[in-house]
Amino acid sequence: VESGSSDGDLIATLRHRLHEAVLPNGEAIVDHCDGTNQILQGLVTSPKVQALVWLALASGVLPKADVERLTGDELKDSVLALRSLFLMQTVPTEGGKRDLAEQELLRRMFLAMSADAQVVLVRLASRLQSLRFHAQTKTKPSLEQARFTLRVLSPLANRLGLGQLKWEMEDLAFRFSDEASYHQIAKALDEKRSQRELFIADLTSEIQAGLALAGLKAKVSGRPKHIYSIYNKMRTKHVSFSQVLDVYAFRVTVKTIDECYRALGILHSLYKPMPGKFKDYIAIPKLNGYQSLHTTLLGPSGVPVEFQIRTTDMHAVAEAGV
């Protein structure tokens, strides 16, 4: 590949060179790179960024001189930074030393991010792809890798505002780090699936009708809370599954900030709000740029339901980061 060749040519060359190479977890490197780049495309990254994962993984398989020639000067620093992030897999387990080690790892990742934020995006997408591979093949990553994901990589995704990556990464890593608790909650959710789906459909229709009657055009969607978020609430509040509030989460998406507050008023007129359960992240955004109105209402039959109200632009930031 001569200097100035396209990123597509570079990827095609690496695909050919790595077609038989396999990662230590058993996943083919070609499949891993394709899966990682599919995730990155959802974050609207450039082809140049998508070449990084190929180059970083190639450096562990191909001769060093070949990788350096393929990389070129433009991507050299990014590939080195990504390789160093790939080597961060575990932290000590002894009490306070773990917290200090995690803080140091996060510090190093933020330093890498300050130089090239896209390097960190590739690292996070790569880990999510690995977790998907283990889920699809019914194999397990090491327990320490799953815990590292929950304690280091997931908080980093949260700080970057990558809600879509964060939730999926957390649920999968939780599944592999505490299988018993994961399946207990998943089973409890599954046992009430038909009841839950009917509740979501009925409430969605009610909300849509109430907003439309008030002259507000909005998109309404509902879903159960993510398994790891339910587990965290059970753990931190010391309650059982049946006692967990906000098992249902609804999102109301509108066009403008003014419509967000209008939607809030309409919802509060339809259902009784729960005291102390309102947060205005539009007026005071989170540090990662997240903006939304949060309120928890007593829905039909007194079931607590959490609502997030945001604009379409805010939703894009909440899902894919700033």
Side-chain angles (χ1 to χ4, degrees):
V1 177
E2 299 298 329
S3 177
S5 295
S6 71
D7 299 307
D9 290 340
L10 172 61
I11 291 175
T13 299
L14 289 169
R15 181 185 297 277
H16 175 72
R17 296 287 299 274
L18 299 170
H19 75 283
E20 292 184 349
V22 178
L23 293 171
N25 68 353
E27 183 180 15
I29 285 183
V30 168
D31 292 341
H32 182 84
C33 291
D34 284 342
T36 298
N37 282 330
Q38 187 175 14
I39 295 168
L40 289 170
Q41 286 168 11
L43 300 175
V44 201
T45 53
S46 68
K48 194 170 296 298
V49 174
Q50 293 163 29
L52 286 179
V53 67
W54 287 94
L55 289 165
L57 294 179
S59 62
V61 178
L62 302 180
K64 183 179 178 181
D66 286 3
V67 177
E68 289 178 348
R69 178 174 57 82
L70 290 168
T71 301
D73 293 335
E74 187 178 359
L75 293 176
K76 181 179 178 180
D77 291 340
S78 295
V79 172
L80 289 175
L82 182 57
R83 282 296 297 172
S84 69
L85 293 186
F86 274 135
L87 294 174
M88 297 180 192
Q89 296 283 355
T90 60
V91 292
T93 58
E94 303 88 0
K97 289 184 179 180
R98 171 184 279 277
D99 293 330
L100 291 174
E102 287 170 355
Q103 290 174 23
E104 172 63 14
L105 285 175
L106 284 171
R107 186 187 70 81
R108 289 165 64 186
M109 287 183 175
F110 279 124
L111 284 175
M113 186 175 65
S114 67
D116 188 351
Q118 295 176 121
V119 168
V120 180
L121 290 182
V122 176
R123 179 66 186 98
L124 295 173
S126 174
R127 173 51 58 91
L128 177 55
Q129 171 57 27
S130 293
L131 292 170
R132 286 178 177 179
F133 166 77
H134 285 292
Q136 290 164 0
T137 57
K138 293 180 170 54
T139 57
K140 291 183 180 181
S142 72
L143 182 60
E144 190 58 36
Q145 285 181 341
R147 289 174 175 168
F148 180 78
T149 301
L150 286 174
R151 294 178 64 96
V152 177
L153 296 181
S154 174
L156 184 61
N158 185 54
R159 286 292 296 272
L160 290 171
L162 301 168
Q164 187 177 350
L165 262 70
K166 172 185 179 290
W167 290 121
E168 186 178 357
M169 194 182 294
E170 282 184 340
D171 274 3
L172 288 172
F174 175 50
R175 171 179 170 180
F176 295 123
S177 63
D178 190 345
E179 197 169 352
S181 296
Y182 174 89
H183 286 297
Q184 181 182 12
I185 297 172
K187 182 180 178 182
L189 287 172
D190 192 57
E191 286 174 349
K192 298 183 178 181
R193 176 179 295 178
S194 58
Q195 177 185 343
R196 185 175 68 244
E197 290 175 349
L198 182 61
F199 178 89
I200 290 174
D202 288 346
L203 189 54
T204 298
S205 297
E206 284 185 26
I207 298 166
Q208 201 84 58
L211 293 171
L213 188 63
L216 189 61
K217 187 177 181 180
K219 180 180 178 182
V220 181
S221 59
R223 58 166 175 78
K225 298 283 278 186
H226 294 278
I227 291 177
Y228 187 66
S229 68
I230 293 173
Y231 168 78
N232 263 341
K233 194 159 288 188
M234 291 168 60
R235 183 170 55 88
T236 56
K237 296 189 175 182
H238 306 288
V239 295
S240 65
F241 176 82
S242 61
Q243 296 172 293
V244 176
L245 299 179
D246 315 340
V247 174
Y248 296 99
F250 280 76
R251 181 176 300 122
V252 178
T253 310
V254 293
K255 289 184 178 180
T256 67
I257 292 177
D258 177 63
E259 289 179 343
C260 288
Y261 289 100
R262 283 181 59 202
L264 176 70
I266 295 167
L267 287 174
H268 280 193
S269 69
L270 292 173
Y271 309 104
K272 184 178 180 180
M274 295 182 65
K277 291 290 186 177
F278 170 70
K279 293 180 180 178
D280 189 342
Y281 293 119
I282 292 180
I284 307 175
K286 290 186 178 181
L287 292 175
N288 60 12
Y290 175 88
Q291 287 185 288
S292 193
L293 298 177
H294 286 200
T295 186
T296 301
L297 310 178
L298 291 176
S301 303
V303 176
V305 182
E306 179 187 277
F307 287 87
Q308 299 170 347
I309 308 166
R310 59 181 69 151
T311 67
T312 51
D313 288 342
M314 292 173 189
H315 180 61
V317 172
E319 293 293 297
V322 177

